[in-house]
């Protein structure tokens, strides 16, 4: 039976998506970690841009509200987290989700219980939604009567949560983190490895191939992807719960299946993942790097504050740092009581010049809240503007 991850796991931020049948053991915290620690003082960046405003994006808010409340199908999306995106050849927009609710919405805005508890709601570990001409289509594997995750697990003791995505050689490439159960206890599961799945744009309900990605050093390489010049940069997180460290890698060309180089702490590039350096702390499990008006903008939830409401930006003159000029972007109004927000990142492929469309996820510590109010477990969207 599926249930929410216990409070301690969500508070420590040990996983990217907060719904699963089991709970994760706490990871070891470095001896120098601080329960309450200040945001990193990285100094000013010569490429910083003033943030001139952040407001709710009305189009995307309406689009996902309409999709979530549309009761014309029993197998449609009603809520999810993750919320990565990429544009396919031909113009379709793919939204990449981790844990996803499928089903109907009651007239009072509540959600029926999950199937395992005698209801009609289905919970999948990952899914897609494809946007075309202002409409969304939910994509999953299996059938309408028996939906399955897009990225199927190897067995009942493994599952995948989605990361960022890119397009290479006409194929959609999506990063995934595989988790595994290693014992019968509630806490007996852990992150296992990183992979990239390749999908044909005309058949998104199943991968055509799955490839291993670097998985050493305990780094999840799924936080963000950014193509710049001859390279595709991949951003990861080394997650100690309270303290999270940014890592950066790059691959020549478009496909993530090529050989990787890793940014060292001294700012050099190495072919050995063992040399991957801790670039900065304070980032979330999901974040993004985008180019705006010639500058590189890192968008992240501020994790120096435990489950805080603040989304911040850092700036650099290159896609790999050094980062500086920490700037407040937005304070999420949903945060408070049992509700928390997390994992903000940008969607540059749909952002007008001089702005970034930013999404963030909303969740609750009380599992029954997901069924009482369907709006809680839905992404929020912002338009963040920058001065030239």
């Amino acid at each position: 039976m599926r249930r929410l991850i216990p409070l301690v796991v969500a508070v420590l931020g040990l996983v990217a998506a907060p719904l699963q049948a089991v709970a994760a053991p706490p990871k070891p915290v470095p001896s120098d970690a601080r329960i309450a620690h200040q945001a990193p003082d990285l100094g000013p960046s010569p490429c910083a841009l003033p943030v001139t405003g952040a407001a709710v994006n009305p189009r995307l808010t309406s689009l996902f509200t309409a999709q979530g409340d549309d009761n014309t199908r029993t197998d449609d999306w009603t809520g999810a987290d993750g919320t990565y995106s990429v544009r396919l050849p031909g113009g379709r927009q793919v939204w990449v989700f981790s844990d996803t609710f499928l089903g109907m919405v009651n007239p009072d805005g509540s959600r029926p219980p999950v199937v395992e508890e005698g209801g009609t709601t289905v919970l999948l570990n990952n899914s897609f939604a494809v946007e075309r001409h202002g409409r969304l289509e939910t994509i999953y594997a299996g059938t309408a009567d028996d939906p399955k995750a897009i990225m199927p697990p190897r067995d009942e003791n493994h599952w995948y949560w989605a990361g960022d995505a890119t397009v290479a050689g006409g194929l959609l490439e999506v990063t995934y983190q595989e988790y595994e159960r290693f014992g019968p206890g509630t806490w007996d599961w852990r992150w296992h490895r990183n992979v990239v799945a390749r999908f044909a744009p005309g058949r998104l309900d199943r991968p055509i191939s799955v490839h291993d990605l670097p998985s050493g050093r305990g780094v999840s390489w799924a936080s963000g992807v950014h193509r710049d010049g001859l390279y595709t940069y991949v951003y990861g997180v080394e997650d100690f719960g309270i303290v999270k460290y940014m890592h950066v890698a790059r691959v020549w060309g478009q496909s993530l299946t090529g050989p990787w180089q890793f940014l060292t702490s001294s700012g050099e590039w190495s072919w050995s993942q063992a040399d991957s350096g801790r670039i900065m702390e304070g980032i979330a499990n999901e974040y993004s790097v985008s180019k705006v008006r010639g500058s590189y903008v890192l968008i992240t939830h501020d994790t120096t504050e435990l489950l805080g409401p603040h989304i911040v930006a850092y700036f650099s003159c290159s896609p790999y740092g050094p980062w500086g000029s920490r700037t407040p972007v937005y304070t999420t109004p949903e945060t408070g009581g049992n509700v928390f927000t997390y994992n903000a990142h940008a969607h540059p492929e749909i952002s007008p010049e001089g702005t970034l469309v930013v999404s963030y996820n909303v969740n609750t510590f009380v599992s029954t809240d997901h069924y009482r109010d369907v709006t809680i477990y839905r992404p929020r969207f912002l338009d963040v503007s920058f001065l030239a």
Side-chain angles (χ1 to χ4, degrees):
M1 178 183 297
R2 298 181 187 271
R3 61 180 177 82
L4 289 179
I5 287 178
L7 174 63
V8 65
V9 179
V11 168
L12 292 180
L14 301 181
V15 292
L19 292 168
Q20 181 55 34
V22 290
K27 293 182 179 180
V29 176
S31 58
D32 63 345
R34 303 173 296 282
I35 295 297
H37 57 290
Q38 293 182 342
D41 181 10
L42 303 177
S45 169
C47 292
L49 298 172
V51 175
T52 58
V56 172
N57 180 298
R59 187 191 74 83
L60 290 172
T61 299
S62 298
L63 179 69
F64 280 91
T65 298
Q67 178 74 4
D69 294 342
D70 182 6
N71 278 338
T72 59
R73 295 176 58 102
T74 61
D75 59 337
D76 256 349
W77 182 100
T78 66
D81 74 348
T83 326
Y84 286 103
S85 68
V86 66
R87 181 159 289 165
L88 294 177
R92 290 182 301 160
Q93 182 84 0
V94 175
W95 295 92
V96 180
F97 294 107
S98 288
D99 282 330
T100 305
F101 284 116
L102 303 181
M104 306 282 281
V105 173
N106 295 323
D108 63 355
S110 63
R111 176 182 285 119
V114 291
V115 171
E116 290 89 339
E117 297 177 358
T120 57
T121 296
V122 173
L123 179 59
L124 305 178
N125 288 133
N126 52 78
S127 70
F128 295 152
V130 176
E131 180 185 352
R132 187 176 185 179
H133 303 312
R135 296 181 63 86
L136 287 171
E137 177 187 3
T138 306
I139 307 293
Y140 53 80
T143 67
D145 293 331
D146 188 21
K148 303 293 185 183
I150 289 281
M151 183 64 172
R154 287 187 283 163
D155 53 49
E156 63 181 6
N157 291 320
H158 294 83
W159 65 92
Y160 291 101
W161 280 321
D164 205 355
T166 188
V167 173
L171 297 178
L172 173 65
E173 294 190 350
V174 184
T175 58
Y176 287 93
Q177 305 162 77
E178 184 181 50
Y179 288 80
E180 67 176 359
R181 173 179 283 279
F182 61 86
T186 300
W187 297 88
D188 294 344
W189 63 279
R190 61 197 170 199
W191 169 85
H192 177 54
R193 62 172 179 153
N194 306 310
V195 301
V196 60
R198 308 184 84 194
F199 297 84
R203 186 67 187 269
L204 294 175
D205 62 344
R206 67 189 65 178
I208 59 175
S209 62
V210 178
H211 307 262
D212 287 336
L213 292 181
S215 297
R217 293 275 278 118
V219 178
S220 167
W221 293 105
S223 300
V225 176
H226 172 71
R227 185 169 300 154
D228 193 79
L230 297 176
Y231 292 98
T232 298
Y233 292 86
V234 188
Y235 303 91
V237 60
E238 185 183 11
D239 184 359
F240 291 98
I242 296 169
V243 178
K244 304 176 195 293
Y245 294 102
M246 179 188 198
H247 287 250
V248 183
R250 70 182 185 184
V251 58
W252 187 87
Q254 298 180 340
S255 178
L256 303 184
T257 61
W260 285 33
Q261 290 180 301
F262 303 89
L263 186 63
T264 68
S265 297
S266 61
E268 300 174 339
W269 293 98
S270 170
W271 294 104
S272 172
Q273 187 178 192
D275 296 330
S276 183
R278 294 171 175 172
I279 305 305
M280 62 178 284
E281 66 175 89
I283 47 88
N285 292 80
E286 298 178 10
Y287 57 94
S288 63
V289 172
S290 312
K291 195 171 186 178
V292 180
R293 300 194 188 279
S295 296
Y296 295 89
V297 184
L298 190 165
I299 295 288
T300 182
H301 251 85
D302 178 11
T303 61
T304 61
E305 180 182 1
L306 215 57
L307 287 180
H310 302 300
I311 299 172
V312 296
Y314 294 87
F315 298 88
S316 175
C317 300
S318 84
Y320 49 87
W323 301 97
S325 298
R326 179 182 183 275
T327 304
V329 169
Y330 189 72
T331 299
T332 58
E334 299 84 1
T335 301
N338 294 320
V339 176
F340 59 95
T341 57
Y342 57 110
N343 287 344
H345 47 74
H347 305 269
E349 77 282 359
I350 58 171
S351 300
E353 176 67 24
T355 70
L356 281 177
V357 174
V358 172
S359 66
Y360 62 93
N361 297 316
V362 183
N363 213 318
T364 172
F365 295 127
V366 180
S367 60
T368 54
D369 285 350
H370 294 89
Y371 305 96
R372 177 185 57 80
D373 180 0
V374 297
T375 67
I376 291 177
Y377 199 61
R378 289 178 179 173
R380 304 317 198 250
F381 298 93
L382 306 171
D383 291 319
V384 180
S385 303
F386 300 87
L387 184 67

